[in-house]
Amino acid sequence: MEFRHLGRSGLLVSEIAYGNWITHGSQVEEEAALACVRAALDSGITTFDTADVYAGTRAEEVLGRALKGERRQGLEIFTKVFWRTGPGPNDSGLSRKHIMESIDGSLRRLGTDYVDLYQAHRFDHNTPLEETMEAFADVVHRGKAHYIGVSEWSADQIRAAKPLADELRIRLVSNQPQYSILWRVIESEVVPASGELGLGQIVWSPLAQGVLTGKYQAGQQPPSGSRATDEKAGANFIARWLGDDVLTAVARLRPLADQAGLTMAQLAIAWVLQNPNVSAAIIGASRPEQVRDNVKASGVTLDEGLLAAIDEIVEPVVTRDPALTTSPGKRP
């Protein structure tokens, strides 16, 4: 496993991180979830990402149990706050009240005294940014988080937050966006702004919800039991990638993966890691063998010819519009 700095901070993270969105507490049973975390640890992954909203808070609990007994100083544990976690009017968003209450709930569920990175899961248009950043500063200064990050924030939102973080003497070091061979909306604005300001990307869905593994075929029904057939596993998220034009392009990547001596999944993960602003790629898994396959993308260098060939194949189906980096106009 290779390690990278998280933005321009001193924190090193495993360049492949393990995340439990959709899986833990919902798609897979706890025994399987624990086995996947064990496989991640055995493969050298030290960075684990979750959020309070995943599986209605259950994902944090499962991850906490899975990591119990591990040397805390040898792990980087990330979580997030924003989405609704309760019935009350203040149980969502980035108000001071919600942040201060949510960090305590996350720490309790994770079974730890602190998280290494606490992330704003979306931008809150209904709370003054100053209030949000001051609350994050108190979380850091009270020792409940070491660093602050954001997720799916636009370049303008990141530019507005960074000077406030600096003034409050906290380290805003990362953004967590969707990024893959097929989804490149961060490249034109978010990545340049982040590079300038010292933030690294912790990217999610590098496999485009599994489509880039090649398991889905044009003109065929999705395999039984796959994510595309399971509402709990995020079938609505994967639907955008299941058109025959996308699946045909993805199928044309297989000879390139074979040529490079990689599986399709390894090629896709290695591709996002070629971007120097990417600090880590988050993988998820329902089976330990998926983890063991994915981690082999660590340290892989794709040559310029291969990168150009990938671009030529997928260009007609790539999504690039930076305006697709959005947050809800109203609190969820």
Side-chain angles (χ1 to χ4, degrees):
M1 179 61 62
E2 301 290 330
F3 293 83
R4 301 185 178 193
H5 284 277
L6 186 53
R8 282 204 293 266
S9 77
L11 181 66
L12 288 169
V13 296
S14 53
E15 65 179 12
I16 297 177
Y18 182 86
N20 68 354
W21 173 52
I22 295 178
T23 52
H24 293 189
S26 55
Q27 182 189 8
V28 302
E29 299 297 330
E30 181 154 345
E31 183 176 348
L34 299 180
C36 288
V37 172
R38 185 72 260 161
L41 291 164
D42 291 344
S43 299
I45 290 176
T46 60
T47 304
F48 294 85
D49 179 79
T50 188
D52 57 7
V53 72
Y54 294 168
T57 74
R58 294 187 300 278
E60 285 184 325
E61 295 175 351
V62 174
L63 183 61
R65 288 192 289 270
L67 295 176
K68 186 176 182 180
E70 295 297 317
R71 179 175 175 269
R72 181 64 184 88
Q73 294 85 343
L75 303 173
E76 303 86 48
I77 300 176
F78 303 166
T79 194
K80 312 180 197 71
V81 56
F82 172 80
W83 296 105
R84 177 164 295 281
T85 54
N90 291 301
D91 285 329
S92 67
L94 297 177
S95 68
R96 177 179 180 83
K97 177 177 174 62
H98 188 52
I99 288 173
M100 302 308 288
E101 293 173 352
S102 293
I103 185 62
D104 288 341
S106 289
L107 295 181
R108 182 179 65 254
R109 289 186 291 269
L110 287 165
T112 183
D113 295 330
Y114 67 94
V115 290
D116 297 275
L117 180 71
Y118 198 40
Q119 303 162 93
H121 209 159
R122 290 295 186 276
F123 186 84
D124 186 352
H125 293 281
N126 305 116
T127 298
L129 184 56
E130 293 81 2
E131 176 181 340
T132 293
M133 298 309 292
E134 287 170 1
F136 278 136
D138 282 345
V139 168
V140 172
H141 295 151
R142 294 178 187 182
K144 297 180 180 182
H146 290 329
Y147 300 90
I148 295 301
V150 299
S151 178
E152 294 291 352
W153 282 31
S154 71
D156 287 345
Q157 291 161 354
I158 291 170
R159 289 187 184 280
K162 185 61 167 63
L164 291 174
D166 292 344
E167 182 180 338
L168 292 163
R169 302 179 66 83
I170 57 174
R171 300 289 290 172
L172 175 59
V173 298
S174 64
N175 177 50
Q176 187 173 132
Q178 182 178 183
Y179 187 50
S180 72
I181 288 173
L182 298 173
W183 187 266
R184 307 189 191 184
V185 302
I186 63 170
E187 289 184 340
S188 63
E189 296 180 4
V190 168
V191 165
S194 296
E196 173 191 336
L197 298 173
L199 280 70
Q201 309 301 314
I202 308 165
V203 304
W204 59 273
S205 201
L207 300 179
Q209 298 296 299
V211 167
L212 287 167
T213 66
K215 73 166 68 174
Y216 302 101
Q217 302 295 316
Q220 299 181 18
Q221 290 297 311
S224 177
S226 67
R227 180 168 293 182
T229 63
D230 187 346
E231 290 298 329
K232 291 194 303 180
N236 55 323
F237 292 103
I238 198 175
R240 68 166 73 120
W241 308 122
L242 296 180
D244 283 354
D245 57 342
V246 174
L247 297 180
T248 298
V250 170
R252 293 178 60 201
L253 296 175
R254 187 173 295 279
L256 300 182
D258 293 342
Q259 174 188 331
L262 302 169
T263 65
M264 290 280 282
Q266 290 162 6
L267 179 72
I269 296 167
W271 184 90
V272 301
L273 291 172
Q274 306 309 294
N275 187 320
N277 191 235
V278 171
S279 296
I282 301 173
I283 63 168
S286 57
R287 303 188 308 277
E289 54 267 29
Q290 293 172 323
V291 177
R292 290 190 283 267
D293 176 78
N294 290 176
V295 297
K296 293 177 183 177
S298 178
V300 170
T301 299
L302 305 180
D303 64 46
E304 292 300 323
L306 180 55
L307 293 172
I310 292 171
D311 284 348
E312 182 178 358
I313 289 170
V314 301
E315 183 58 36
V317 295
V318 166
T319 301
R320 296 184 182 275
D321 184 1
L324 293 174
T325 297
T326 60
S327 296
K330 295 182 179 180
R331 289 184 189 169

